Amino acid sequence: QQQVKQSPQSLIVQKGGISIINCAYENTAFDYFPWYQQFPGKGPALLIAIRPDVSEKKEGRFTISFNKSANQFSLHIMDSQPGDSATYFCAASGGSNYKLTFGKGTLLTVNP
Amino acid sequence: KAGVTQTPRYLIKTRGQQVTLSCSPISGHRSVSWYQQTPGQGLQFLFEYFSETQRNKGNFPGRFSGRQFSNSRSEMNVSTLELGDSALYLCASSLIPGGSNQPQHFGDGTRLSIL
C-alpha cells in the first residue's frame, strides 16, 4: 500500500522555468510533510517542510503549497537552475508513527 | 557541525553472508532511523532507535536488525544475505524521535552489493 503518491516520475524544465512536483497522501493522521533533494551518490537532503496548519511555506526559490481538504501538497521551484537537477522526494509522518513515508521520487532535469 | 556519518560507503558481499553497517548521528542527536533505498521500492523505513531502544520497526524480515549504543551511534545487521538485499542503506538522525517538527538528516549511505 503506497501511502504517499508522487508525480510526475520525471520532469524536464528549461532554465528559468517553474518546476512543479505533486504528492497525495492517504493517511489523514500525517502532520509533517518534508521535501528532500537527492543528488547521485549522496543521501537525501532536507529542503523544506510544512505542517498542515499553514497553506504555503516559502524558502528562497522553493515553495510548498498544502491543500488539506484534498490531502495533497506540492513543491514549486521558481527560476529553476541546472544545479537543481536532482531527484526530489516528498514524505510524510505523524500520528503515533514517527517514521517517514516517502513518495517514489521525481527526477528533475533542468536544461541550460 | 559534522553531518551523519555512515561507514563503510561501499560493501560487496555474497549470498548467505552477514553484514554490519555503522552510523554516527549528528552531535546531540539522539534518535537514529534506518532506511533502505532501491530503484524499485524507493525509500523504505527499516527501524528507529532512541535511547538504545527500538521504538518503531518497518515491514522487513527478522534478518534485519539493529541496535543503538549509549553514545547514540547505531549499527544495523543483515544476516543470511539475499540478492534482493542489494540496496543503498541510509541512516537519518534527529534530535528526538522524528515526526512532527523533528527534521531527519540523512547520511550518504552504505551501498551494499550482493553477488
Side-chain angles (χ1 to χ4, degrees):
Chain A
Q1 180 189 6
Q2 184 185 354
Q3 293 193 49
V4 179
K5 294 183 179 179
Q6 182 172 348
S7 62
Q9 273 189 307
S10 62
L11 181 62
I12 299 175
V13 174
Q14 292 300 116
K15 179 182 175 182
I18 302 174
S19 303
I20 302 174
I21 304 171
N22 301 298
C23 283
Y25 61 97
E26 299 171 1
N27 186 346
T28 55
F30 287 152
D31 62 0
Y32 175 68
F33 303 90
W35 284 89
Y36 284 85
Q37 178 190 57
Q38 186 176 28
F39 293 105
K42 295 290 188 180
L46 181 63
L47 204 55
I48 187 173
I50 198 169
R51 287 175 53 82
D53 51 352
V54 298
S55 60
E56 187 174 281
K57 182 175 181 179
K58 183 176 181 180
E59 289 186 3
R61 296 184 294 109
F62 300 92
T63 299
I64 298 179
S65 296
F66 188 83
N67 185 337
K68 189 174 182 180
S69 61
N71 291 351
Q72 295 176 349
F73 58 110
S74 59
L75 175 69
H76 295 231
I77 305 175
M78 311 300 287
D79 186 28
S80 298
Q81 299 296 312
D84 296 331
S85 296
T87 301
Y88 292 81
F89 293 93
C90 62
S93 68
S96 61
N97 197 329
Y98 293 133
K99 71 175 186 178
L100 284 171
T101 298
F102 285 88
K104 292 290 191 182
T106 296
L107 178 60
L108 171 66
T109 302
V110 181
N111 289 328
Chain B
K1 201 177 210 182
V4 177
T5 303
Q6 292 189 246
T7 58
R9 287 298 312 277
Y10 303 93
L11 208 48
I12 299 176
K13 292 287 186 179
T14 57
R15 288 170 53 192
Q17 287 187 308
Q18 73 164 13
V19 66
T20 299
L21 311 181
S22 180
C23 171
S24 293
I26 293 172
S27 178
H29 284 196
R30 298 173 60 196
S31 173
V32 173
S33 297
W34 289 88
Y35 293 82
Q36 181 195 65
Q37 185 175 26
T38 59
Q41 297 301 315
L43 282 148
Q44 293 187 288
F45 173 80
L46 279 156
F47 27 64
E48 177 193 17
Y49 286 87
F50 175 70
S51 293
E52 302 175 65
T53 301
Q54 186 182 91
R55 291 171 48 91
N56 209 348
K57 183 171 169 45
N59 189 25
F60 279 83
R63 300 185 295 108
F64 292 81
S65 62
R67 59 177 176 169
Q68 186 181 34
F69 302 94
S70 58
N71 61 358
S72 296
R73 192 178 69 85
S74 177
E75 289 180 348
M76 69 164 280
N77 184 77
V78 189
S79 62
T80 320
L81 287 165
E82 301 177 358
L83 293 177
D85 297 333
S86 293
L88 179 66
Y89 289 89
L90 293 159
C91 169
S93 75
S94 61
L95 278 171
I96 57 177
S100 303
N101 290 331
Q102 294 301 324
Q104 294 188 34
H105 299 275
F106 285 82
D108 287 336
T110 294
R111 172 74 62 185
L112 175 63
S113 298
I114 310 303
L115 302 179

